[in-house]
Amino acid sequence: MALGACLFSFAAFWIAQRAAHVSMIDLMVYRAEGATVRAGGDLYALRTTGAHLPTTYPPFAALLFTPLTLLDTASMRTLATAGNLALLVVFVRLSLRLVGHTRVETVWWAAAAAVWCEPVWTTLRYGQVNLLLAVLVLWDLSRRPADRWAGLGIGLAAAVKLTPALFAVFLLAAGVTHRVRHGRAGHRLRHARRAAAAFAGATTLAAAVLPYDSWRFWTRMVFRTGRVGHAEETANQALRGFLARFLHTPDPGAPWAAAVAVVALGGLAVAVAAELRGLRAWAVAACAVTALLVSPVSWSHHWVWCVPLVLLLGTRGHRAAALGTLLVFCSYALWWVPHGRGRPELHQNGVELTLSALYGGVGLLFLVLAGTSLRGPGGNQAVTNE
C-alpha cells in the first residue's frame, strides 16, 4: 500500500509538472556548460537560455555535465525527472536512518508527501542538483567512523557547489573540540581531512582539464555573488535576501556581514555541541540550516533539507514544530508576494516581508530549538565513543 501510494503520488506529480510546462531551465544551463567544455569555450563568459543565465558553479561541475550533451532535450528532461524522483526516495531513506527510523514502508509514505513540498517541486521544475548533493552529504555522514570512504561525499558535493563545504568545517570544529577536551584525535578529524582531500582532488582534476576556467573561477568569479542573481529576490531565502528586502536595498552590506558572523558561529556551536553529545541528527540538521542561512544566495529549492528537518522534529517529540515546518514548506507562501520584473521585492510591506522570510525564519527558530534541546535531559547523553 505504501509503495502504491508513492508511485501514485509520483505519477500525479509528473503529470502536474508536464501540465505546468516546466522549462527545467537550470538543466539546460548545465547542458550548455557541458557543451562549452567539449567545445573548448570560455565557461564563465557563457550566457545561455532565454534568461541569459551565466555559469555559477566551480569548473568541476561543468566536467560532470558533459554527458548531458549526448542526449536530446526530451530524453534529458525525462531522465532528470526520473533520476530526481529516485534521489528523493534515497534522500528520505537516509534522513529516516539519520533519525533512527528503519521501517521501509515509512520511506514510501514520506516520499509520497515530500515530493509536493515547494523546495522539491522547484528542484524538479528547474532540473536542479540539490537532491544529488544532499544525498552525497547524508550518505557520507551515515558512514561508520572507520569507513575509508568517509569524506568522499562531502568533498565531491563541495566541489560541485561550495555550500556543502560547511559540513567539513563542522567536522573539523567538532574534532578539534574533542581533541582539546580529551587530548586525542578522533574520527571526526580524519573525516574532515578526507573531505578536504576529496574536494582538492576533484578541484585539481578540473584545473588540469580546464586550467583557464579554473583560474578565473577561483581568483575572480567566486567573489562575484551578484552574478547569481539579485540579493533581494523572493526566491533568495538566505539571511542576505531577507535583509535586502527588509532594508529595501540591493546590498545589505555591514548588517549582513554581522548577521552572518553571529549565525555562523551560533549555528556551528549548536552543531558541534550536538555532535559531541552523540546527537548526530541534530548536528547534521543544524549544520545544513546554518549553511543555507549564511550563504549569500540560498534559493528556495536549496531548502530540500526541510525533509530531514521535519522528520527529525516529528520523531523527537516536537510534533507541533514538525507540523508547522511542513506547512511552511508546502504552502508556497513566498510566491504569494509581488516578485519578478521591476524588482518589487525592494518595496515590500510588513505582511509581504513576513511571507518572503518564512524559510529563513523557520531555520533560525530551528537553531534556537536545537540549542535549547541540548540543555534538556536529552542533551546530556554521553559523547559517542571515538
Side-chain angles (χ1 to χ4, degrees):
M1 185 181 294
L3 176 59
C6 184
L7 292 176
F8 179 81
S9 180
F10 281 10
F13 176 90
W14 198 311
I15 293 171
Q17 289 253 313
R18 292 299 175 266
H21 302 290
V22 295
S23 63
M24 304 190 80
I25 190 170
D26 287 343
L27 183 63
M28 303 306 295
V29 174
Y30 300 158
R31 190 173 190 269
E33 291 179 21
T36 302
V37 169
R38 292 188 63 184
D42 188 339
L43 191 59
Y44 294 99
L46 175 68
R47 292 280 177 168
T48 187
T49 73
H52 302 288
L53 296 177
T55 300
T56 58
Y57 295 175
F60 179 69
L63 289 181
L64 298 182
F65 296 149
T66 52
L68 295 177
T69 61
L70 304 177
L71 301 170
D72 60 83
T73 301
S75 298
M76 180 180 65
R77 288 176 172 173
T78 299
L79 287 175
T81 301
N84 265 322
L85 291 174
L87 284 169
L88 176 61
V89 174
V90 176
F91 186 44
V92 170
R93 177 71 183 92
L94 290 171
S95 299
L96 286 168
R97 181 188 299 174
L98 182 70
V99 301
H101 194 95
T102 57
R103 294 180 62 185
V104 176
E105 58 267 31
T106 307
V107 176
W108 301 117
W109 287 119
V115 74
W116 295 100
C117 71
E118 190 274 340
V120 175
W121 169 279
T122 312
T123 288
L124 273 81
R125 171 189 175 188
Y126 293 146
Q128 263 282 344
V129 294
N130 305 303
L131 288 169
L132 173 61
L133 300 184
V135 164
L136 282 173
V137 170
L138 274 191
W139 171 84
D140 196 329
L141 291 171
S142 65
R143 299 297 88 199
R144 294 180 179 179
D147 193 329
R148 62 179 179 177
W149 297 108
L152 179 64
I154 292 174
L156 291 179
V160 173
K161 187 182 282 190
L162 296 178
T163 309
L166 192 67
F167 286 95
V169 176
F170 146 69
L171 289 169
L172 176 63
V176 170
T177 303
H178 183 273
R179 185 168 190 171
V180 170
R181 290 180 180 178
H182 302 280
R184 67 180 188 276
H187 64 84
R188 298 178 189 88
L189 284 178
R190 293 194 299 271
H191 200 157
R193 286 196 297 266
R194 288 170 180 165
F199 171 79
T203 302
T204 301
L205 173 63
V209 179
L210 303 169
Y212 175 71
D213 292 318
S214 295
W215 175 258
R216 286 194 69 195
F217 179 82
W218 294 109
T219 59
R220 295 171 60 187
M221 299 303 170
V222 70
F223 304 108
R224 297 184 179 180
T225 56
R227 295 180 74 249
V228 181
H230 298 304
E232 76 277 2
E233 289 186 39
T234 298
N236 185 10
Q237 293 295 299
L239 286 172
R240 184 165 174 257
F242 167 71
L243 288 173
R245 294 187 292 271
F246 180 76
L247 299 174
H248 306 296
T249 174
D251 184 11
W256 172 61
V260 163
V262 171
V263 173
L265 290 175
L268 281 175
V270 170
V272 169
E275 173 69 12
L276 295 181
R277 285 165 173 78
L279 306 175
R280 171 57 67 90
W282 285 100
V284 172
C287 185
V289 167
T290 302
L292 290 166
L293 289 172
V294 303
S295 175
V297 174
S298 289
W299 302 126
S300 68
H301 51 78
H302 293 170
W303 285 79
V304 292
W305 286 96
C306 67
V307 174
L309 216 63
V310 170
L311 294 173
L312 173 63
L313 292 171
T315 56
R316 294 300 186 272
H318 301 284
R319 294 185 179 179
L323 179 59
T325 302
L326 180 63
L327 291 176
V328 164
F329 286 101
C330 290
S331 68
Y332 295 69
L334 71 162
W335 300 114
W336 300 354
V337 304
H339 61 276
R341 294 183 180 180
R343 304 174 75 174
E345 292 94 337
L346 291 174
H347 309 285
Q348 290 182 348
N349 58 35
V351 174
E352 292 167 347
L353 284 170
T354 301
L355 291 175
S356 63
L358 284 177
Y359 290 10
V362 167
L364 290 172
L365 289 174
F366 173 79
L367 291 180
V368 172
L369 176 61
T372 304
S373 297
L374 292 178
R375 299 179 181 179
N380 296 323
Q381 296 180 17
V383 178
T384 53
N385 294 328
E386 290 294 325

